[in-house]
Amino acid sequence: MWAWALLPIFLAVWAIVGVWIVYAMAVSNGSVNLNDGFPVISTCGSYPPQSCIFGQVLNVGAFLAVWILVMRFQQIRDYGCHSHLNSVSLAIGCFCALGTSLVANFQQSIQLETHLAGAFLAFFFGNIYFWMQTVLTYKVEPRHGGRWIVPTRFILSMACTVFNVLMVVFFTQNMKSLAAICEWVVAMIIFVLFGLFSVEFWHLDMMSLHVQKRRTAIPNEMQVSTITLQ
């Protein structure tokens, strides 16, 4: 059903529009001063009222991300790829979603250490996840999106890595505005990479969830055996 392709697109649009609305509110009400330099995303979302929107945007985004991660994991398995890389990528992606939730609920002005741990999971584990997806996209058949999907994921993942490294370098050199710009670029790239899953989800017919009850053994249950006599 082609409607599943709208899920990754909705996540990308929701997150991108949401964080820029938070930025606009922070600038308009004076929570951040652009004369002091370009702010990081977390600074924009640290103070009310935009902190409420910031938390909601990221929490909903984390939930949608987990939903997409599980769907992509199962889609790859259904195509006959039972690689451990697929399972590891699911775990890495869930850590990315967890980090996003931590960033949303532990603002840097309140709990900096937890906030930074969440940011590390969101940005760096998210980057690792999409490198793994680049490899899996190359290995899995059929490859939806033709010849352009693998190079696109590779270029975006490489750009994400470069800006992650630059962000750390600029931060350690106390070049906070440049580090903040790199952080915004990394966030936008990760959102776009999630949206790119719409290419694969376009070809999903349906999604179903099955819960199977585990059979419990009855105490002192009699074991029955059958013997065939010749």
Side-chain angles (χ1 to χ4, degrees), residues 46-92:
S46 291
Y47 306 100
Q50 63 269 11
S51 59
C52 303
I53 298 176
F54 179 71
Q56 187 70 358
V57 166
L58 293 190
N59 281 325
V60 172
F63 168 76
L64 294 176
V66 172
W67 190 354
I68 292 170
L69 294 171
V70 173
M71 288 179 62
R72 179 59 178 160
F73 167 79
Q74 189 60 49
Q75 184 184 36
I76 292 175
R77 291 190 64 184
D78 289 344
Y79 286 158
C81 179
H82 299 282
S83 170
H84 291 299
L85 183 63
N86 190 28
S87 300
V88 174
S89 70
L90 176 61
I92 294 293

Side-chain angles (χ1 to χ4, degrees), residues 9-216:
I9 296 174
F10 177 77
L11 170 58
V13 173
W14 169 269
I16 292 173
V17 173
V19 295
W20 281 108
I21 287 176
V22 169
Y23 168 81
M25 291 179 64
V27 172
S28 64
N29 62 28
S31 298
V32 297
N33 187 358
L34 296 181
N35 293 326
D36 297 333
F38 194 78
V40 297
I41 301 174
S42 300
T43 300
C44 298
S46 291
Y47 306 100
Q50 63 269 11
S51 59
C52 303
I53 298 176
F54 179 71
Q56 187 70 358
V57 166
L58 293 190
N59 281 325
V60 172
F63 168 76
L64 294 176
V66 172
W67 190 354
I68 292 170
L69 294 171
V70 173
M71 288 179 62
R72 179 59 178 160
F73 167 79
Q74 189 60 49
Q75 184 184 36
I76 292 175
R77 291 190 64 184
D78 289 344
Y79 286 158
C81 179
H82 299 282
S83 170
H84 291 299
L85 183 63
N86 190 28
S87 300
V88 174
S89 70
L90 176 61
I92 294 293
C94 287
F95 276 114
C96 171
L98 173 63
T100 303
S101 180
L102 291 176
V103 170
N105 297 292
F106 296 87
Q107 283 82 17
Q108 64 176 11
S109 59
I110 300 175
Q111 183 58 259
L112 180 61
E113 293 79 8
T114 307
H115 182 87
L116 291 177
F120 174 81
L121 292 175
F123 288 135
F124 291 92
F125 275 52
N127 193 183
I128 295 171
Y129 172 77
F130 283 108
W131 273 119
M132 292 179 174
Q133 285 300 311
T134 301
V135 175
L136 288 169
T137 305
Y138 178 78
K139 293 174 61 176
V140 171
E141 295 291 344
R143 186 183 307 158
H144 303 300
R147 297 181 178 179
W148 64 271
I149 188 67
V150 174
T152 301
R153 281 210 171 102
F154 177 85
I155 292 171
L156 289 174
S157 298
M158 178 62 72
C160 189
T161 301
V162 170
F163 281 101
N164 263 325
V165 172
L166 290 176
M167 177 178 63
V168 174
V169 171
F170 288 143
F171 182 80
T172 56
Q173 296 298 318
N174 203 29
M175 303 169 69
K176 295 182 179 180
S177 291
L178 291 176
I181 292 172
C182 291
E183 182 195 47
W184 279 89
V185 173
V186 169
M188 296 302 109
I189 291 174
I190 290 177
F191 296 152
V192 170
L193 280 166
F194 268 108
L196 201 60
F197 281 134
S198 61
V199 175
E200 283 88 5
F201 287 8
W202 180 273
H203 300 273
L204 289 175
D205 291 329
M206 62 176 293
M207 187 188 76
S208 60
L209 177 65
H210 298 279
V211 178
Q212 184 174 357
K213 182 180 178 181
R214 178 180 294 179
R215 182 178 181 275
T216 57

